[in-house]
Amino acid sequence: MAIKRIELLGVPVDICHSEDLEIEIMELLARPATKQIVFLTVWKLLKARSKRSDFGECLRSADLVLPVSKSIISAARFLKLEVPVRHNPFTATIHILSVLDHHYKSLYLLGGRERSLGHSERNLRQTFNGIQIVGRFTGYYNKTREPDIVQAIYKSSPSLVLVSDGIPEKDRWSYRRRNSFSSSIFLYYQDAFGIFSDRIRSEEHTSELQS
């Protein structure tokens, strides 16, 4: 594999250059079972170190952990570890979607309000003609609808499930239900549908990257 995994304060961090991301995505798609990509902020790193949370195990089981905070890079350098590449979550998400587009893969959209989700779907269809969007479901849903959501994702078996706002468990949503799916990659990016629906400008999403 083109990536290298280091341990930073007991938390996994992957070193993956942007030019290697396509190879990594295609290798993940070739593997069976549920896979997960995590955008790692410094706050997530600190949360993963807490013994009271299962988030640490979620990260350790993730297939690709991409750091997005400057502090993570600085900490690795200070501890004299191999320094990982810092990713912008918006740019990385676009890169991943471009890989799906180039290889005619499928996508499921989970999260957001109805309006932003609908606008996001239309904009994504126009931008990525090669991606087949096989389903969508809004966030902030009633808990009784969850079995339907899980079943829909399982049946459609998308290459990627893009998870956005309105999913309270965030990265842990797919981790805690990983045995309910077959072969999809899950990526949680809270601001995805806000950006793709043109409600939020991508330049505004820098606060977590500064820390």
Side-chain angles (χ1 to χ4, degrees), residues 112-173:
R113 301 287 185 183
E114 180 60 39
R115 183 180 177 84
S116 65
L117 181 59
H119 285 177
S120 294
E121 181 179 2
R122 286 192 292 274
N123 289 340
L124 287 169
R125 287 186 187 278
Q126 291 173 3
T127 306
F128 301 102
N129 296 321
I131 294 179
Q132 181 185 8
I133 299 180
V134 294
R136 64 171 189 166
F137 205 96
T138 58
Y140 310 97
Y141 55 81
N142 188 297
K143 194 70 173 177
T144 59
R145 299 302 308 276
E146 186 165 291
D148 296 332
I149 299 171
V150 171
Q151 184 71 358
I153 295 173
Y154 173 78
K155 284 185 174 181
S156 58
S157 190
S159 305
L160 176 73
V161 180
L162 182 57
V163 185
S164 190
D165 58 304
I167 307 300
E169 294 170 279
K170 302 179 180 180
D171 292 287
R172 287 178 293 183
W173 191 88

Side-chain angles (χ1 to χ4, degrees), residues 14-178:
D14 289 321
I15 301 173
C16 179
H17 296 271
S18 58
E19 59 268 26
D20 297 323
L21 194 54
E22 180 170 5
I23 295 173
E24 296 305 319
I25 295 302
M26 294 309 296
E27 287 189 359
L28 288 181
L29 289 172
R31 295 184 207 164
T34 304
K35 284 85 62 173
Q36 185 174 17
I37 300 172
V38 175
F39 290 142
L40 184 66
T41 65
V42 66
W43 305 115
K44 288 182 182 179
L45 185 147
L46 294 173
K47 185 176 182 179
R49 299 191 70 209
S50 171
K51 292 181 172 58
R52 294 176 294 177
S53 170
D54 64 347
F55 189 61
E57 190 55 41
C58 171
L59 284 188
R60 282 185 284 275
S61 71
D63 299 88
L64 195 56
V65 181
L66 302 177
V68 299
S69 294
K70 288 182 179 178
S71 297
I72 295 175
I73 309 305
S74 299
R77 186 176 290 114
F78 177 78
L79 294 170
K80 302 188 184 310
L81 299 172
E82 188 168 347
V83 180
V85 177
R86 184 169 69 98
H87 294 263
N88 178 295
F90 173 73
T91 304
T93 300
I94 293 298
H95 194 160
I96 292 168
L97 291 173
S98 297
V99 172
L100 299 183
D101 183 55
H102 181 70
H103 293 277
Y104 300 98
K105 299 299 182 178
S106 57
L107 175 67
Y108 192 102
L109 307 175
L110 177 61
R113 301 287 185 183
E114 180 60 39
R115 183 180 177 84
S116 65
L117 181 59
H119 285 177
S120 294
E121 181 179 2
R122 286 192 292 274
N123 289 340
L124 287 169
R125 287 186 187 278
Q126 291 173 3
T127 306
F128 301 102
N129 296 321
I131 294 179
Q132 181 185 8
I133 299 180
V134 294
R136 64 171 189 166
F137 205 96
T138 58
Y140 310 97
Y141 55 81
N142 188 297
K143 194 70 173 177
T144 59
R145 299 302 308 276
E146 186 165 291
D148 296 332
I149 299 171
V150 171
Q151 184 71 358
I153 295 173
Y154 173 78
K155 284 185 174 181
S156 58
S157 190
S159 305
L160 176 73
V161 180
L162 182 57
V163 185
S164 190
D165 58 304
I167 307 300
E169 294 170 279
K170 302 179 180 180
D171 292 287
R172 287 178 293 183
W173 191 88
S174 60
Y175 168 70
R176 290 172 172 171
R177 296 158 184 79
R178 59 194 180 280

